[in-house]
Amino acid sequence: MRLSGVFRFAVILLTVGVTWHFARTYLLRSWRTNSFRNIADREIKQASTKPSKNKCGNAKPCSKDHFAFKIVSGAASVVGPSMCLDDKLIMSNIKNNIGRGINIAFINGTNGEVLKTGFFDMYAGDVAELLEFVKPVQVGYMAMIATYDDPATKLNDEARKYFTDMGSAYANKLNFRDNWVFLGVVGMQIKSPFEKHIKNDGETNKYDGWPEVLEMEGCVPRKRE
Ligand SMILES: *[C@@H]1O[C@H](CO)[C@@H](O)[C@H](O)[C@H]1NC(C)=O
């Protein structure tokens, strides 16, 4: 680009910048109408939903001896769940490895490597497939779980107990179309702090036949060998 071109560009940029700054200051100082406040609100909202620099887009960073994680449940029967660990998308619509029912990822808690992922249709599927999938996994593996649509119709006591043994307080109450996100450890036997659930309830549901989407993020300690 020629120097004069660069100069003209800089002038335009400056003019636009000054005008914008003026308009903004002027409007902020002198007009307090509702419509303007709405715009301001929208700006604040946009600023706060800007992708964060933290792993998985989380609000807070994690220390070195922790993994950052985010688990999002499905939305009604329309949008599938997603799971992120240390900025790595483990299960999602885009990865095409999620489905109706219970979505599970097993992870080596020392190095964060994914052992395997699976999804199990608990409306029309067979809980035996879920049990076959989870049973061989060694005690101590980390598990991330997210539900999509209906996670409970086919769930039996054995599967519920398996999740309870991972530290879930809710698995034994999980019902038709409830939403549930959970992070636990195989055979941990103590309650996990990483769990959220919401009941399918016609009175309070966000969508007609389904409750609100659940989102859970945080830092989980790495396992020491
Ligand atoms: C998990 O990863 C660590 C570190 O690479 C390894 O030593 C360990 O054997 C793995 N655990 C299992 C159960 O594979």
Side-chain angles (χ1 to χ4, degrees):
M1 206 191 282
R2 275 174 303 139
L3 197 62
S4 65
V6 173
F7 184 69
R8 204 176 305 154
F9 184 64
V11 167
I12 291 168
L13 213 66
L14 196 70
T15 310
V16 169
V18 167
T19 309
W20 167 241
H21 182 72
F22 171 77
R24 217 177 125 87
T25 313
Y26 177 71
L27 287 170
L28 274 170
R29 293 236 175 98
S30 53
W31 294 14
R32 291 283 169 191
T33 65
N34 275 339
S35 66
F36 184 70
R37 212 169 290 148
N38 286 344
I39 296 167
D41 283 347
R42 212 183 307 148
E43 270 183 9
I44 291 164
K45 221 179 190 170
Q46 273 169 3
S48 67
T49 53
K50 245 192 270 170
S52 90
K53 277 175 255 139
N54 301 321
K55 285 178 174 173
C56 295
N58 289 357
K60 289 180 189 162
C62 300
S63 68
K64 272 200 175 128
D65 53 351
H66 287 68
F67 296 112
F69 74 89
K70 180 178 282 183
I71 308 176
V72 183
S73 74
S77 60
V78 181
V79 183
S82 71
M83 298 180 194
C84 170
L85 187 80
D86 254 19
D87 249 2
K88 205 165 57 180
L89 206 53
I90 291 175
M91 299 188 79
S92 77
N93 268 323
I94 297 162
K95 286 191 71 110
N96 201 22
N97 62 353
I98 50 107
R100 180 168 74 175
I102 295 182
N103 293 259
I104 313 178
F106 285 107
I107 290 135
N108 179 324
T110 308
N111 57 19
E113 271 171 22
V114 177
L115 174 71
K116 58 179 179 177
T117 68
F119 53 90
F120 303 92
D121 186 343
M122 290 292 104
Y123 185 72
D126 184 353
V127 71
E129 283 172 26
L130 182 148
L131 289 165
E132 253 168 60
F133 180 79
V134 301
K135 273 184 181 167
V137 179
Q138 279 175 38
V139 167
Y141 263 95
M142 195 165 96
M144 292 164 93
I145 296 179
T147 58
Y148 182 19
D149 193 356
D150 176 30
T153 298
K154 293 286 178 74
L155 213 53
N156 62 7
D157 286 347
E158 191 181 0
R160 287 175 192 275
K161 183 176 184 310
Y162 181 86
F163 296 135
T164 304
D165 288 348
M166 274 182 176
S168 169
Y170 193 66
N172 59 6
K173 292 179 259 202
L174 200 60
N175 256 313
F176 178 64
R177 285 188 185 172
D178 288 355
N179 263 339
W180 178 46
V181 287
F182 174 68
L183 187 152
V185 175
V186 176
M188 182 159 78
Q189 304 286 358
I190 43 169
K191 195 179 163 297
S192 165
F194 306 116
E195 178 165 42
K196 281 188 181 178
H197 62 83
I198 186 164
K199 286 197 79 56
N200 166 24
D201 179 343
E203 297 277 300
T204 55
N205 278 351
K206 172 158 182 178
Y207 311 106
D208 275 347
W210 295 266
E212 196 168 358
V213 171
L214 290 179
E215 215 178 300
M216 177 170 70
E217 63 177 58
C219 305
V220 59
R222 284 171 188 265
K223 193 179 160 210
R224 300 214 181 92
E225 287 288 285

